Amino acid sequence: MAAPMRLNVLKHILPRSTSTIERQLIFRAAPQSLLTTTKPPQCRPFSASPFHLKKQGKEKSQQKASKASEPPEAETGADDPFDFSTLEAGIEKVLEKLKNDLSKLRTGGRFNPELLENVRVQLVKDVKGTERLGDLAQVLPKGGRTVMVLVGERDHVKPIVSAIQGSKDLNLQPQVDPHNASQLNIPIPPPTKESRDLAVAAAGKAGEQASLGVKNARAVMQKRLRAMELKKTVRPDDLKKAHKEVEKLVEKGTGDVKKTVEAARKGMEQS
């Protein structure tokens, strides 16, 4: 609007005697700002952010507030005082380890092949890494009091013989079969009073470790119940009942440990 007004002023100021050509020269010499029309500046409301952004911000804040008011899923699942799955799994794991440890003991002249299979074999002298004998050979009963070891590769025969002879727990002397260079024959010595006593003592230590494992599983469960008590998410009566059930499960687990050890000891003493 300002540019047309200025042009009109120029028209009135110029005398009428001025020729048309002179008028055109004057308008051409005028600044471009007077001749071009400029758009009025766009006005922005006083608010710093547009309306649609404000609306989105309110919706997000409402969603966060609703999520904060909802109880977490993890806590609701963890606040069950009668969930003894962790305790039962811990006791079962302890019993499995105990049975495995007892099966590895040499008792009654019966030889467990796992004793040989778990021997570590050093294939290369200068290399620290070792291989499990069970991954290099197959251990089979040959008959009587002899065990047969079938080696997969002939180059591994010598390292396997050295590993078996070097195992103090076994005290065995393997012999290469005269008809098969990849076969080792290992005579099993008869049990002695000394070997029986060592096996019985080892069984007792395994039982002690198992009993300690049951106590550790019980401590984990008690700690969980204590956390529920502090948070006050469970009724006191339910906590008392849960503690009683825990003691029953622990008592049963301890009894299973004792029965397993006693059965192993009897078998060792009667051999």
Side-chain angles (χ1 to χ4, degrees), residues 36-37 183 240 261 264:
T36 57
T37 57
Q183 176 179 329
K240 289 181 181 179
V261 174

Side-chain angles (χ1 to χ4, degrees), residues 48-139:
S49 58
F51 177 74
H52 68 281
L53 293 178
K54 281 188 173 183
K55 189 175 181 181
Q56 291 179 359
K58 286 183 179 179
E59 291 178 355
K60 289 182 179 179
S61 61
Q62 290 176 357
Q63 291 177 358
K64 289 182 179 179
S66 62
K67 287 182 179 180
S69 61
E70 295 177 357
E73 295 180 359
E75 291 185 2
T76 55
D79 289 345
D80 183 8
F82 300 105
D83 182 11
F84 306 114
S85 58
T86 303
L87 176 61
E88 292 172 346
I91 294 175
E92 185 178 356
K93 186 177 180 181
V94 168
L95 290 173
E96 288 179 358
K97 185 179 184 303
L98 174 62
K99 293 176 182 178
N100 187 31
D101 292 341
L102 293 175
S103 66
K104 293 179 181 179
L105 298 176
R106 291 180 57 187
T107 61
R110 296 186 301 271
F111 187 78
N112 187 354
E114 291 185 4
L115 293 175
L116 275 175
E117 293 173 351
N118 293 327
V119 172
R120 307 302 300 185
V121 181
Q122 187 176 7
L123 297 178
V124 183
K125 292 183 179 180
D126 298 333
V127 179
K128 293 182 179 180
T130 58
E131 298 290 338
R132 183 172 170 270
L133 189 146
D135 297 332
L136 305 175
Q138 187 177 8
V139 181

Side-chain angles (χ1 to χ4, degrees), residues 240-259:
K240 289 181 181 179
K241 293 178 182 178
H243 278 292
K244 290 181 180 179
E245 292 297 326
V246 168
E247 294 304 322
K248 290 181 181 179
L249 291 173
V250 170
E251 185 177 356
K252 181 179 181 301
T254 304
D256 291 340
V257 169
K258 290 181 179 179
K259 290 179 182 178

Side-chain angles (χ1 to χ4, degrees), residues 194-209:
E194 183 180 358
S195 64
R196 292 193 188 96
D197 293 342
L198 291 174
V200 170
K205 289 182 180 180
E208 292 176 1
Q209 291 295 325

Side-chain angles (χ1 to χ4, degrees), residues 153-169:
E153 298 182 15
R154 289 188 178 183
D155 295 339
H156 297 163
V157 172
K158 191 173 181 180
I160 289 176
V161 171
S162 300
I164 296 174
Q165 291 176 343
S167 179
K168 296 180 180 179
D169 296 333

Side-chain angles (χ1 to χ4, degrees), residues 87 209-221:
L87 176 61
Q209 291 295 325
S211 299
L212 182 61
V214 173
K215 291 180 181 178
N216 291 337
R218 174 193 177 205
V220 173
M221 187 63 194

Side-chain angles (χ1 to χ4, degrees), residues 106 108-111 145-146 170-173 186-192 195:
R106 291 180 57 187
R110 296 186 301 271
F111 187 78
R145 304 187 61 83
T146 305
L170 297 178
N171 192 21
L172 300 175
Q173 295 296 329
I186 304 176
I188 306 301
T192 61
S195 64

